[in-house]
Amino acid sequence: MAQKALRRRDQSAGYGLRAALSALESVGSPAAIPSPPEDAEAVKASCDSFILESFTAEDAWELGHLLYARLLPFSAQKPTLISISLANSNQVLFQCAVGSGTAPDNEIWVQRKRNTVLRFGTSTWFQHCKYSGDEEAFKTKFGMSPEQAEKYAIHGGGVPIRVKGVEGIVAVVVVSGLKQHEDHGVIVDVINKNWE
């Protein structure tokens, strides 16, 4: 069965920004991030990528702010980096740190996760589950030298965005800074709650 194309529940401009501002005004205890499945086939079937009716700079802006609002309660203990870019040009449409304390290394992780999504057309969490987190097996499977392998990450947090009727990936959403299952889980959680 083909995956259903999703549409933003709230089409009003600034919905994500309002959620972020609301989160800033009332930072509470963080709500647990649902853990994604750990079986590669279950990931593929339920949360590997998302097909949307459209994906514009405005959609990236809304999604980025919704992720910010969801991650803000974690920021005192776990600062994160959110990055949303176009697939064909790597043009960044949205990027921000959530909380003080992200490091330049988060930017490297974002790039490595993005590279994995773009090369393999799947989420980084799917690759992690497929290879049971074994980076050596991943590297060997694709005949990568150590220098080539360091450009990719099979850690959760990179998710492809597709658009109905468009061949290939349109955008890549990346979160870096939490545990890898949470990096993936928060993206899935926010999209599932705000797209239908």
Side-chain angles (χ1 to χ4, degrees), residues 38-109:
E38 294 184 15
D39 172 71
E41 291 309 310
V43 171
K44 195 73 160 159
S46 66
C47 62
D48 179 51
S49 67
F50 291 91
I51 299 173
L52 308 181
E53 286 186 356
S54 68
F55 195 79
T56 64
E58 181 183 332
D59 293 313
W61 177 257
E62 300 296 350
L63 176 56
H65 281 95
L66 290 165
L67 284 165
Y68 180 92
R70 181 68 170 90
L71 289 165
L72 188 62
F74 295 92
S75 65
Q77 289 79 35
K78 299 178 181 179
T80 54
L81 183 64
I82 301 165
S83 183
I84 303 172
S85 63
L86 292 177
N88 64 351
S89 64
N90 281 331
Q91 178 187 359
V92 175
L93 298 177
F94 182 95
Q95 184 161 307
C96 76
V98 184
S100 185
T102 58
D105 193 48
N106 290 105
E107 189 74 44
I108 302 299
W109 278 99

Side-chain angles (χ1 to χ4, degrees), residues 31-37 43 47 50 67 70-71 74 113 123-125 155-159 175 178-193:
I33 295 169
S35 289
V43 171
C47 62
F50 291 91
L67 284 165
R70 181 68 170 90
L71 289 165
F74 295 92
K113 291 176 183 185
S123 70
T124 55
W125 183 247
H155 298 263
V159 175
V175 170
L178 303 173
K179 294 177 180 175
Q180 61 175 313
H181 69 278
E182 293 174 321
D183 281 349
H184 183 82
V186 74
I187 297 168
V188 172
D189 188 43
V190 167
I191 291 175
N192 282 337
K193 286 181 178 169

Side-chain angles (χ1 to χ4, degrees), residues 4-15:
K4 176 185 170 189
L6 305 174
R7 182 172 196 251
R8 257 188 15 238
R9 290 180 198 275
D10 188 329
Q11 293 289 312
S12 64
Y15 171 71

Side-chain angles (χ1 to χ4, degrees), residues 97-145:
V98 184
S100 185
T102 58
D105 193 48
N106 290 105
E107 189 74 44
I108 302 299
W109 278 99
V110 164
Q111 186 59 55
R112 292 178 67 212
K113 291 176 183 185
R114 183 181 295 135
N115 288 346
T116 301
V117 171
L118 292 173
R119 178 168 175 179
F120 300 101
T122 66
S123 70
T124 55
W125 183 247
F126 172 79
Q127 293 295 329
H128 172 81
C129 294
K130 181 177 180 179
Y131 293 97
S132 302
D134 186 343
E135 293 188 24
E136 191 61 35
F138 173 77
K139 178 179 90 169
T140 301
K141 168 73 175 169
F142 297 102
M144 294 183 199
S145 68

